[in-house]
Amino acid sequence: MSTLDWVVLFGTLALIATYGVYKTYGSKSLDSYLRGKNSMNWWSIGLSIMATQASAITFLSTPGQAYEDGMRFIQFYFGLPLAMIIISVVFIPIYYKLKVYTAYEFLENRFDLKTRTLAALLFILQRGLAAGITIYAPAIILSTLLGWNLTFTNILIGSVVILYTVSGGTEAVSITQKQQMAVMMGGMILAGIIVIQLLPISFQEAMHVAGKMDKLNMINLEFDISDRYNVWSGMTAAVFLFLSYFGTDQSQVQRYLSGQTLSQSRMGLIMNGFLKIPMQFIILFIGVMVFVFYQFFLPPVVFNKVQTDKLRESEYAGEFEGLEAEYAENFKLSRSSYLEMLDAIEQEDKGKENEIREKISVLKSEQQEIRAEVKELIVTNDPVAETRDTDYVFMRFVMDNLPKGVIGLLFAVIFSAAMSSTASELNALGSTTTVDLYKRSIKKGATDKHYLTSSKLFTAFWGLGAILFATYASLFENLIQAVNLLGSLFYGTILGIFLVAFFMKWVKGHAVFIAALFSQALVLFVHFNNGDVMDGNLWDIGFLWYNPIGCLSVMLFAGLLQLVIPSKGTSQS
């Protein structure tokens, strides 16, 4: 990176963090700290909701996923507008009517204290883990770039977020997220334009290449319960995930509870529902264009440069260089084959086109075999080395091919996303710990100032916990899938509790509490026995289906239990 890149990167981050502290320093009450004085208009709420969900993982993993797997991940979001409408109609009015600080306060009003506490603990568990991943995602890039220790990098990133989140609370998070969203989308759109300009073929030809290589596979109508991303999982299983995430996850609920009015909060949520899909489309499409770029310009054998540099300096350097040369020769044949295929498409010669596609498919298989051999060498040289490189694809492209200044801006995109998402999570974790656990069950009747201080301390505590967990986040295969998996393990149960509260008025607290425990155990049992049946697992289902399994089982168990146990708890709504 050039001096200009460093100035752009750290200048952007410093300005955003400083602005957040300056505008919100010195919250005087718990209400203003947790609800941001109810000062947010609808578009601020919408941007804040989008920024909370659009973590650094979105900008690191999503282009890499499109590079490997095409556009089919976008089907995951097809049910989002429906979920936003349901939440606007059912969830938000109740939260506003009760004037709650957290979503889980409603559960005590409807059921009892233990049900409220259980839901809060499930949220804290999964969101505390996910916060660690959102810190880890940009840390792997910066530590790779500078050769820094990963733990030190995690601490650096986490500390910046903790600084302004603890200082200004909800208002600081929402204010900074507007600037962060501008940086994120501005930087990504600029990167997309530059990628297309760098292509040695026309845009139409690039679309032909992407289409023929199945990278524009946005719609898959085939029902397959083991497939994570198709229309059916997006319109069913993913809807349960979105209902739970946006309707019961405090990191999102806290965003729209800061709205000026009920209508402003609803409009902000609907804005997110209809802009998220185009935003995700842009990010995925950039990944596809990077794929097309690397069909005409030699890509790295492995995108993680740190690992290949280590291999180059090891006793296996000669073998590695031989594999690189073999990879380069294969690439030349592949590139010429693409040009031949484009000629066949222009001449409308279907027979020749299909023949060349088969040839390219064989060459691609050979490339994957060479990559696998290189990864084996990496592990042989360093048994604990990380060989999965999907999350490195986009930023490696940025560093190798984009002009000075733009590289720094793209790194600022990654860090802005990490800051925005992590800040929301820490803010929500601090709020939930204070309001639902500490204030309600541990230290009752203290002063407002005491709880304000407690909320800040709990926010800092969870920030430190996220930094600690970030050290172990590399255990996951793909960062964006890791976050969705963590959510899917717990969100279904939480959503089930809320849906029982909203729609099953005859069910009382004791029944839903036991049902939630059974359902969470069921989801974990399904997960730990899930995978390839040929490997001895009981079944093979996509993890998005954990959400409806958890949700519907809570509703079923609660209804059955209420028939056989004495009524306990209240039933007010």
Side-chain angles (χ1 to χ4, degrees):
M1 292 229 305
S2 67
T3 302
L4 177 61
D5 291 316
W6 289 115
V7 170
V8 171
L9 170 58
F10 288 111
T12 301
L13 301 184
L15 284 172
I16 291 174
T18 303
Y19 180 76
V21 173
Y22 169 74
K23 291 290 288 184
T24 61
Y25 180 76
S27 295
K28 302 300 182 184
S29 68
L30 184 67
D31 183 78
S32 64
Y33 188 76
L34 298 185
R35 283 201 292 229
K37 305 172 187 175
N38 291 105
S39 59
M40 296 297 140
N41 54 31
W42 66 269
W43 63 271
S44 296
I45 294 169
L47 290 176
S48 184
I49 291 171
M50 292 177 68
T52 295
Q53 189 183 20
S55 67
I57 299 163
T58 301
F59 300 98
L60 285 172
S61 281
T62 306
Q65 182 151 332
Y67 181 94
E68 293 283 340
D69 198 33
M71 299 279 290
R72 72 190 190 101
F73 178 63
I74 199 170
Q75 296 170 107
F76 172 72
Y77 292 96
F78 284 175
L80 182 60
L82 174 61
M84 298 301 96
I85 293 170
I86 294 172
I87 293 169
S88 295
V89 172
V90 178
F91 291 62
I92 300 181
I94 294 176
Y95 295 153
Y96 264 80
K97 178 182 177 181
L98 298 176
K99 297 180 180 179
V100 296
Y101 286 118
T102 74
Y104 317 110
E105 286 184 79
F106 159 69
L107 295 179
E108 183 176 1
N109 181 280
R110 169 64 175 85
F111 294 122
D112 51 32
L113 176 59
K114 66 177 182 292
T115 305
R116 170 186 179 177
T117 303
L118 175 62
L121 287 173
L122 289 175
F123 161 73
I124 286 171
L125 177 60
Q126 69 87 16
R127 186 49 60 191
L129 298 177
I133 298 178
T134 58
I135 290 176
Y136 171 78
I140 59 172
I141 299 299
L142 189 58
S143 61
T144 298
L145 173 67
L146 299 178
W148 288 357
N149 176 272
L150 181 59
T151 302
F152 171 78
T153 313
N154 287 330
I155 293 172
L156 177 64
I157 296 169
S159 298
V160 174
V161 177
I162 290 170
L163 175 65
Y164 73 84
T165 306
V166 170
S167 172
T170 296
E171 189 177 10
V173 173
S174 297
I175 285 177
T176 54
Q177 283 176 329
K178 288 187 283 188
Q179 284 74 35
Q180 288 160 343
M181 273 301 295
V183 171
M184 284 186 267
M185 290 314 301
M188 291 303 290
I189 291 172
L190 178 60
I193 293 171
I194 294 174
V195 172
I196 294 171
Q197 289 179 335
L198 289 174
L199 294 174
I201 57 177
S202 69
F203 180 72
Q204 183 179 8
E205 290 174 324
M207 294 296 287
H208 281 311
V209 170
K212 298 302 180 183
M213 299 311 296
D214 295 325
K215 299 300 179 181
L216 299 178
N217 51 343
M218 288 185 285
I219 303 293
N220 178 14
L221 295 175
E222 180 181 351
F223 181 81
D224 181 358
I225 199 169
S226 66
D227 185 7
R228 296 186 183 100
Y229 308 119
N230 56 44
V231 168
W232 306 111
S233 63
M235 291 302 297
T236 54
V239 170
F240 284 86
L241 175 61
F242 292 135
L243 285 174
S244 188
Y245 176 54
F246 291 98
T248 71
D249 187 306
Q250 184 60 22
S251 66
Q252 284 291 3
V253 172
Q254 198 149 346
R255 308 281 65 78
Y256 51 77
L257 286 182
S258 63
Q260 295 171 355
T261 63
L262 172 61
S263 297
Q264 294 285 329
S265 294
R266 281 173 162 169
M267 289 172 63
L269 203 59
I270 296 298
M271 170 186 168
N272 169 71
F274 287 95
L275 289 185
K276 179 64 178 179
I277 295 176
M279 171 184 162
Q280 206 68 30
F281 175 88
I282 291 171
I283 299 170
L284 284 165
F285 189 73
I286 291 170
V288 171
M289 289 297 101
V290 170
F291 168 83
V292 175
F293 175 88
Y294 277 129
Q295 306 318 300
F296 298 93
F297 295 97
L298 180 65
V301 181
V302 173
F303 283 91
N304 187 337
K305 191 171 185 295
V306 168
Q307 298 299 341
T308 54
D309 285 347
K310 287 181 180 178
L311 199 57
R312 210 178 301 278
E313 297 171 359
S314 72
E315 59 183 295
Y316 304 102
E319 191 173 349
F320 172 55
E321 289 172 2
L323 288 170
E324 273 194 315
E326 186 180 347
Y327 188 81
E329 286 299 317
N330 180 288
F331 171 79
K332 289 179 182 178
L333 294 174
S334 176
R335 179 173 56 190
S336 62
S337 297
Y338 275 114
L339 295 173
E340 291 176 18
M341 184 180 71
L342 289 173
D343 286 337
I345 292 172
E346 185 176 354
Q347 296 167 12
E348 299 183 355
D349 187 341
K350 290 289 185 181
K352 185 178 181 182
E353 176 191 326
N354 292 331
E355 179 184 334
I356 297 171
R357 282 184 65 186
E358 291 180 7
K359 179 182 177 182
I360 291 174
S361 179
V362 172
L363 290 170
K364 287 295 178 187
S365 296
E366 292 174 356
Q367 288 180 17
Q368 291 302 319
E369 290 174 4
I370 296 170
R371 274 171 50 84
E373 289 185 52
V374 172
K375 291 181 178 182
E376 287 179 10
L377 276 182
I378 290 173
V379 173
T380 302
N381 181 56
D382 181 3
V384 297
E386 175 60 63
T387 59
R388 296 183 294 267
D389 63 343
T390 305
D391 296 320
Y392 289 86
V393 170
F394 178 60
M395 293 311 294
R396 179 69 185 271
F397 165 80
V398 167
M399 293 181 66
D400 290 346
N401 299 283
L402 266 57
K404 294 179 180 179
V406 178
I407 296 175
L409 177 62
L410 265 295
F411 273 93
V413 167
I414 302 302
F415 282 97
S416 292
M419 290 163 59
S420 67
S421 186
T422 306
S424 291
E425 291 167 340
L426 299 186
N427 183 216
L429 286 165
S431 301
T432 303
T433 307
T434 300
V435 174
D436 295 298
L437 301 181
Y438 184 73
K439 182 180 179 182
R440 182 63 186 87
S441 301
I442 298 174
K443 189 174 181 62
K444 303 178 182 179
T447 64
D448 187 80
K449 182 178 179 181
H450 174 83
Y451 292 128
L452 173 61
T453 303
S454 299
S455 185
K456 293 183 177 183
L457 290 175
F458 281 126
T459 300
F461 168 80
W462 284 112
L464 296 174
I467 292 171
L468 179 64
F469 180 74
T471 306
Y472 302 98
S474 60
L475 297 174
F476 295 102
E477 179 179 354
N478 178 276
L479 294 176
I480 197 164
Q481 291 187 11
V483 170
N484 289 333
L485 171 59
L486 281 173
S488 296
L489 286 174
F490 300 99
Y491 276 147
T493 301
I494 298 173
L495 178 62
I497 296 172
F498 275 84
L499 292 189
V500 170
F502 292 145
F503 301 115
M504 299 173 67
K505 299 295 185 181
W506 72 92
V507 175
K508 305 301 191 298
H510 199 53
V512 76
F513 179 81
I514 297 174
L517 293 177
F518 284 167
S519 297
Q520 189 59 62
L522 173 63
V523 171
L524 293 175
F525 176 79
V526 170
H527 172 66
F528 287 112
N529 289 277
N530 189 32
D532 192 336
V533 177
M534 299 298 292
D535 292 336
N537 293 293
L538 297 178
W539 40 68
D540 182 13
I541 62 175
F543 60 73
L544 287 179
W545 293 101
Y546 298 169
N547 295 282
I549 290 172
C551 176
L552 296 176
S553 63
V554 170
M555 300 177 75
L556 175 63
F557 293 158
L560 293 175
L561 285 167
Q562 190 59 54
L563 297 176
V564 299
I565 63 177
S567 297
K568 291 187 178 182
T570 59
S571 58
Q572 294 88 4
S573 59

